[in-house]
Amino acid sequence: MNLPAANPRKDRAAAIAEGLKGRDFLVLADFTAAELAHLLDLAAQLKALQKEGRPFAPLAGKTLAMIFEKPSTRTRVSFEVGMAQLGGQALFLSRSDLQLGRGETIGDTARVLSRYVDAIMIRAYSHRHVVELARAATVPVINGLTDFAHPCQALADLLTLREAFGRLKGLKLAYVGDGNNVAHSLIVGAAKMGLDVAVATPEQYAPHPAVMETARACAAEAGGSVTWTTDPAAAVSGAHAVYTDVWASMGQEDEAEARKAIFAPYQVNADLMAKADPQAVFLHCLPAHRGEEVTDEVIDGPQSVVFDQAENRLHVQKAILVALLGA
């Protein structure tokens, strides 16, 4: 009897998909490079289906609870639209809509919501609260942003880079500005995928040392590198991608004026972009404070892919939902 030939690649993908079912999506350090690559592949497939107008509704009958402690444009709209496109529905819950605002614990909220919904996405101030929510919940919890990490954004960034260059491994990515939550996820995700990551921040605003340690270990395993400097020109030199974020995030408004003076040398402008590779792209997670961390000339220029990047939030989050819910 002639048996069909085994397909190791298909079997491996199936094993990865099985391993993602029911997981939380809190930080990229929790996932292997193979798992992140699987999510990127799935996002690309889902994006292609949407562009072709082919309906795909594996989450029919599923509900996502969306908890927002912080306001949002991209996170709310992309998750809500993504669930609708996948056949499910999303439920928006601000802090004032929940008993959290009246003293109910995160744990009790997680246990109750787990009885009603199939997954929870939370956009919060404190990463500790998200970890506590995930610990108590019995359904997958997705980090939509905390003060420590922004993993959905980083996955969208990686998809955007892969679309722009056809690969990830071996690219040089320069991050310039504040070593914040966006930087934390980007550095680790890029390191896992084998990029050379150069980070430039003022000394007192460097990424968390534990993040840098994790990223360097990931880079060593993947054949990439992670470096830090206070010199933005050195970081950007020869880079295939230049990334920045706002200098004062939500909750840091009282520091905004002081930060402007500190971060002024880190503005991404035409002079700084000229030090990158001639084919380099510019990335920003948005919203942008034009005239501060980036000039109009750069963000509106031909090297900018910020709106592709914003669109890709939709596609990677659909991939995350499909994978975690085992659809």
Side-chain angles (χ1 to χ4, degrees):
M1 179 172 62
N2 293 324
L3 296 175
N7 186 334
R9 184 175 179 181
K10 186 174 181 180
D11 291 345
R12 184 165 178 261
I16 292 172
E18 185 63 28
L20 289 169
K21 288 169 61 173
R23 298 262 297 275
D24 296 319
F25 192 80
L26 304 187
V27 293
L28 295 189
D30 292 340
F31 297 86
T32 67
E35 288 171 335
L36 295 180
H38 177 86
L39 289 171
L40 291 173
D41 289 343
L42 180 55
Q45 292 165 8
L46 293 172
K47 184 174 183 177
L49 286 175
Q50 181 184 322
K51 299 299 183 185
E52 293 166 7
R54 295 168 60 187
F56 181 64
L59 299 187
K62 304 289 186 181
T63 302
L64 172 70
M66 305 189 306
I67 301 174
F68 283 88
E69 294 182 358
K70 286 185 172 184
S72 167
T73 298
R74 280 148 291 276
T75 299
R76 178 178 178 179
V77 176
S78 57
F79 268 110
E80 198 160 326
V81 170
M83 278 298 288
Q85 290 179 352
L86 293 169
Q89 60 180 340
L91 180 64
F92 174 82
L93 300 167
S94 69
R95 190 174 182 85
S96 62
D97 293 321
L98 298 167
Q99 294 296 329
L100 282 171
R102 299 180 60 206
E104 184 169 47
T105 67
I106 289 279
D108 286 349
T109 299
R111 294 180 186 96
V112 170
L113 289 179
S114 295
R115 302 292 183 103
Y116 297 148
V117 303
D118 301 284
I120 302 169
M121 187 283 298
I122 179 168
R123 182 176 171 91
Y125 284 97
S126 169
H127 190 76
R128 180 177 58 82
H129 286 172
V130 176
V131 172
E132 187 179 345
L133 180 81
R135 188 177 294 124
T138 56
V139 297
V141 172
I142 300 168
N143 177 2
L145 176 141
T146 67
D147 58 353
F148 180 73
H150 199 354
C152 294
Q153 179 64 56
L155 203 61
D157 302 336
L158 293 173
L159 180 62
T160 306
L161 286 173
R162 198 174 77 166
E163 290 175 341
F165 294 99
R167 62 187 173 95
L168 289 173
K169 190 175 179 64
L171 296 178
K172 180 181 178 182
L173 167 65
Y175 178 89
V176 179
D178 184 19
N180 58 14
N181 49 359
V182 170
H184 287 167
S185 293
L186 179 70
I187 294 165
V188 172
K192 279 183 173 285
M193 304 311 292
L195 282 79
D196 294 313
V197 184
V199 182
T201 73
E203 189 166 0
Q204 65 270 44
Y205 294 98
H208 195 287
V211 171
M212 294 297 285
E213 182 180 351
T214 297
R216 287 187 174 116
C218 293
E221 185 176 339
S225 64
V226 175
T227 59
W228 173 82
T229 179
T230 58
D231 183 356
V236 169
S237 178
H240 299 94
V242 180
Y243 196 124
T244 193
D245 189 15
V246 295
W247 294 338
S249 300
M250 280 182 286
Q252 299 172 335
E253 288 81 4
D254 58 337
E255 304 174 29
E257 289 305 312
R259 282 173 174 253
K260 284 181 185 179
I262 295 169
F263 283 99
Y266 294 83
Q267 183 187 73
V268 179
N269 50 38
D271 289 341
L272 188 62
M273 284 298 296
K275 300 181 187 304
D277 183 271
Q279 302 303 313
V281 297
F282 170 73
L283 299 103
H284 192 304
C285 60
L286 301 181
H289 291 174
R290 290 163 175 262
E292 293 183 13
E293 75 273 5
V294 62
T295 61
D296 286 343
E297 183 180 12
V298 170
I299 197 170
D300 293 329
Q303 292 173 284
S304 176
V305 292
V306 298
F307 296 108
D308 295 330
Q309 190 184 354
E311 178 190 341
N312 281 337
R313 286 287 303 279
L314 171 66
H315 306 299
V316 299
Q317 287 161 191
K318 286 167 68 175
I320 292 166
L321 290 164
V322 168
L324 301 188
L325 293 176

